[in-house]
Amino acid sequence: MAGEGFWRRIAGHRPDPRRPPKRWVWLPYDQQQPSHPLLDPTVHGPREETAVVFVETAAKPARRPYHAHKLVLLLASQRHQALALAQAGHPVVVHFSEHWYDRALTEVRERWRFDRLDASSPAEAEVRLPVASLPWVHLQPNPFFITDRAFWRRVFPKPGPRLMETFYRAARRHTGLLMDGGKPVGGVWNLDHENRKPWRGEPPVPPRPRFEPDAITREVMDLVRTRYRGSFGAVDGFEWPVTAAEAQRAADHFVDHLLPHFGPFEDALHADEPALFHSLLSASIHLGHLDPRTLCQRAEAAYHEGRAPLSSVEGFVRQLLGWREFMRQVYEEHRDLYADTNALQATLPLPDWYWGRPSGMNCLDTTVRQVIERGHSHHITRLMVLSNIANLLGVDPHGLNEWFWFAYVDAYDWVVTPNVVGMATFADGGLFVTKPYVASGKYIARMGPSLCNGCRFDPKQAAGERACPLNPLYWDFIDRHAERLATVRRMQLPLKALRALAPEVLDSHRREAATWKAIAAKARYRSA
C-alpha cells in the first residue's frame, strides 16, 4: 500500500473513540488552503473538537490515466496538509479506498459513526455531485473563487452568448482591481494587443526556484510509480510545489522576477523555454495553496509601485479574474451541453502523436514531449499547437478534452472542458468565443520560430513535400466549414481569402489535407 512512513506518522493523530470530536469536516483534494474557513477555531471552537477527513482513492487514477506528476501532486499535497493539521491539533483521518468519493466517505462514516460531515463543495462536478447526494453530507458554497453564481446571474441575467470581456469588466468593477474610480487604470480595459511579441532570447528568463521532493513526496512518488503504472508520463523530474509555503515561494518569484516581462511575451512560443515568463501557478491555485484574489492584488501593487508594466499586470489579472472565473461559470451553466456538443461534427480519434509517437511536425512533437515530461505547457501551446492541429484534422473534441484532462497537472473538468470543447475546438458553436481559433503554419513561425527550426516541413511553403501540413489543413478547414462560418464576423477575411484561391490551389490543399487526415486516422492510439 502507500508509504509506511506517512501512515505511521498520521496514525497517532486519529480521533480518540473515547472522546469523539464534536464536528467532522472533509477536505477535498482541491481545498488545501492554509486556513480553511470550516476549520477556523475562532468560529468553530478548539481544533481538537473538529476532526478532518482526507480521502485517497484508487478509483480516481482508475478512471483516467492521469499524468504521474498530477497524481503525485494531489496525493503529496493532501498528505502534507493532513500532517500540518494534525500537528496543529486536529484529529485527522486519512482514508484509503478503492471506491469513488461518495462510497469512500460512507466507509469513513461507518467506521467512525458520526451523524454529519461538513465540507465546501468540490469544484469538480464528478466529485461534487455524487457526494451531494449523501443526506448526511452538508456542502457549503465553494468560497475559493473570486466570483459566485449570484454575480454571474447579475452579469448575464438572460440566456444567450457569454462574452468574457463583458464578464471581466464587471468583475473588475465588482472587485475594484485595476480600477481608478469607475474607470480602468490606464484608460483601457484590455491590453492583449500589446502582449503578442515573439521571444528571441532577450530578456533572459530568470531561473525558477526548485522544489526538491521531501520524504513524504518521495513516498508518494514510489506509490505512483509502482501502483499506477498506466499513468501518462512518469514521476521522474517531479518538482511541483506541494505545500502552501512552497507555492508562496513560486508566487514571490513570479511577481518579483517574471511578471515584469510576462505581458509582452504572453503569447510567445519557444522550444527551449516552454514556460518563458508564465507563472506556473495554476496548479497551486486550483489546489488552494494560493488565493487568486491575493495574487491579483499583489500584481496590482507591483504596477502601482513601478515594478511591473500595466500590460503585464493586466494580462495576469485577466487570466485569473477573467478567464479562470469565467470558465468555471460557463461550465457550471452549460455542463449538460458540454457533455456531448460537437458543432463541427469532428469525429477523428486523437492520434497517438499526443502520446509521444513522432508526427514529423516539430511544433507538435516538441510540445507533446514537454507535456509528457512535466504535465504542463502554457496556454498558447495548448490553444495554437495542440488544439489547433487537432481541430484542423477534425479530431473529436471530447477525445481531445479527455487527453487534456489527464495530461495536465492543472486540468479539472470545470476549467479544461470549456477551454477545449468551447474555445479551442468551437464544438459549442461559439457560445463564448467569436471565432474558431485555427491558424496555419505561418502563425507558429511568427510566434515561435524555434518550434519550426529543424522541422522537415517549411511553414513558408503551401504545397509540395516540404509544405507545412498546417497550411493545407487550415484552408481545408475553412473550406469544409465555410457555410457555418459565413455568419461569423471575425471569419470574413479568411473566407474572402478562400474565395480568392485558384480552384487548382484549393484542390491541392484538399488533397494534401486528406492525406494528412488519413495518416492521422492510421495513427490512432491504442492502449497496451
Side-chain angles (χ1 to χ4, degrees):
M1 199 167 67
E4 291 296 326
F6 168 77
W7 294 102
R8 279 202 307 269
R9 292 176 66 183
I10 202 67
H13 298 279
R14 285 179 295 186
D16 185 348
R18 296 167 299 179
R19 298 179 58 193
K22 294 180 179 180
R23 296 176 66 242
W24 289 78
V25 173
W26 169 48
L27 290 192
Y29 52 79
D30 61 355
Q31 295 178 21
Q32 305 307 307
Q33 282 72 15
S35 299
H36 197 292
L38 291 180
L39 302 181
D40 184 348
T42 65
V43 176
H44 302 291
R47 292 183 176 91
E48 61 268 21
E49 295 180 357
T50 297
V52 185
V53 176
F54 294 85
V55 169
E56 291 189 9
T57 172
K60 188 172 182 65
R63 185 165 289 194
R64 294 176 193 86
Y66 288 105
H67 198 293
H69 283 201
K70 185 171 188 173
L71 294 179
V72 173
L73 179 60
L74 294 179
L75 292 171
S77 296
Q78 280 203 149
R79 292 188 179 190
H80 280 91
Q81 180 76 339
L83 281 174
L85 290 174
Q87 291 164 0
H90 286 281
V92 172
V93 172
V94 181
H95 179 68
F96 178 82
S97 177
E98 297 287 346
H99 305 290
W100 198 246
Y101 293 89
D102 51 344
R103 176 83 176 274
L105 290 173
T106 301
E107 293 168 347
V108 176
R109 183 174 184 247
E110 290 172 349
R111 164 67 178 83
W112 293 97
R113 306 288 182 181
F114 51 79
D115 296 324
R116 174 186 173 117
L117 182 66
D118 290 313
S120 295
S121 291
E124 283 203 288
E126 71 170 14
V127 176
R128 179 178 71 247
L129 297 179
V131 170
S133 69
L134 301 174
W136 42 272
V137 173
H138 294 257
L139 294 181
Q140 301 181 19
N142 189 314
F144 306 118
F145 289 86
I146 302 174
T147 64
D148 58 19
R149 200 72 187 152
F151 174 77
W152 177 261
R153 293 192 183 100
R154 290 197 299 271
V155 178
F156 299 112
K158 298 179 182 179
R162 301 323 196 194
L163 295 182
M164 196 283 288
E165 188 67 20
T166 302
F167 174 86
Y168 175 52
R169 294 185 184 190
R172 290 266 295 273
R173 294 189 183 99
H174 177 67
T175 60
L177 286 164
L178 290 179
M179 295 297 294
D180 184 6
K183 297 181 179 180
V185 168
V188 292
W189 291 100
N190 189 316
L191 292 170
D192 188 45
H193 62 280
E194 295 186 16
N195 298 349
R196 298 172 183 171
K197 293 182 180 179
W199 184 75
R200 303 185 188 281
E202 292 291 337
V205 179
R208 297 174 185 269
R210 299 175 63 87
F211 304 102
E212 294 293 336
D214 62 7
I216 295 174
T217 302
R218 290 195 299 271
E219 284 183 349
V220 173
M221 293 170 70
D222 289 340
L223 167 67
V224 172
R225 184 183 290 113
T226 56
R227 178 166 184 143
Y228 305 121
R229 296 175 182 173
S231 301
F232 192 73
V235 300
D236 301 331
F238 179 88
E239 53 182 29
W240 291 98
V242 297
T243 66
E246 289 182 341
Q248 191 58 61
R249 282 177 53 204
D252 293 344
H253 180 268
F254 170 70
V255 173
D256 293 340
H257 302 288
L258 301 173
L259 180 61
H261 306 295
F262 167 69
F265 306 106
E266 184 178 349
D267 287 1
L269 307 165
H270 200 277
D272 299 323
E273 289 285 356
L276 287 174
F277 302 98
H278 288 260
S279 72
L280 301 189
L281 298 178
S282 53
S284 296
I285 297 168
H286 296 343
L287 288 178
H289 287 153
L290 296 171
D291 175 61
R293 184 190 294 264
T294 302
L295 287 173
C296 289
Q297 291 169 339
R298 289 194 63 188
E300 181 182 37
Y303 165 70
H304 288 302
E305 295 165 5
R307 296 186 291 116
L310 184 59
S311 62
S312 289
V313 172
E314 188 279 319
F316 181 68
V317 170
R318 184 168 7 102
Q319 286 190 340
L320 285 182
L321 181 62
W323 280 111
R324 183 176 186 266
E325 297 286 324
F326 182 73
M327 288 293 101
R328 181 202 178 208
Q329 299 292 358
V330 165
Y331 178 70
E332 290 298 337
E333 183 177 52
H334 298 280
R335 193 169 63 242
D336 292 341
L337 168 71
Y338 280 120
D340 56 13
T341 185
N342 193 348
L344 300 183
Q345 298 299 303
T347 58
L348 187 75
L350 188 65
D352 60 5
W353 304 331
Y354 288 72
W355 279 261
R357 179 175 174 270
S359 69
M361 292 177 275
N362 197 49
C363 59
L364 177 61
D365 296 343
T366 299
T367 302
V368 169
R369 183 170 64 252
Q370 294 166 355
V371 178
I372 291 173
E373 288 175 354
R374 195 146 193 252
H376 191 274
S377 70
H378 72 68
H379 72 282
I380 293 298
T381 47
R382 302 188 202 203
L383 180 65
M384 300 309 297
V385 177
L386 299 168
S387 298
N388 177 40
I389 291 173
N391 209 15
L392 295 178
L393 288 166
V395 166
D396 172 17
H398 299 283
L400 179 66
N401 184 52
E402 189 78 3
W403 181 85
F404 269 101
W405 196 347
F406 66 68
Y408 278 79
V409 296
D410 59 359
Y412 298 95
D413 58 7
W414 59 269
V415 67
V416 72
T417 300
N419 266 301
V420 175
V421 182
M423 183 178 188
T425 63
F426 208 68
D428 63 3
L431 177 67
F432 64 88
V433 295
T434 54
K435 70 167 187 173
Y437 280 83
V438 291
S440 69
K442 294 180 180 179
Y443 175 90
I444 306 298
R446 182 173 72 253
M447 296 303 300
S450 65
L451 289 175
C452 295
N453 293 342
C455 186
R456 67 187 180 97
F457 300 113
D458 185 352
K460 297 179 181 178
Q461 296 189 26
E465 291 185 359
R466 293 210 60 226
C468 175
L470 274 66
N471 294 337
L473 284 167
Y474 173 79
W475 290 113
D476 176 71
F477 178 92
I478 301 298
D479 179 48
R480 289 199 324 270
H481 301 297
E483 183 177 351
R484 182 177 188 90
L485 300 177
T487 59
V488 179
R489 182 180 59 83
R490 294 183 66 193
M491 294 303 295
Q492 296 313 300
L493 284 178
L495 289 170
K496 182 179 179 180
L498 175 73
R499 293 190 291 270
L501 291 177
E504 62 271 18
V505 173
L506 181 56
D507 285 342
S508 174
H509 289 326
R510 289 168 175 160
R511 289 193 299 271
E512 287 295 318
T515 297
W516 272 99
K517 285 185 281 188
I519 292 172
K522 291 180 181 178
R524 181 174 182 176
Y525 176 73
R526 293 175 175 81
S527 60

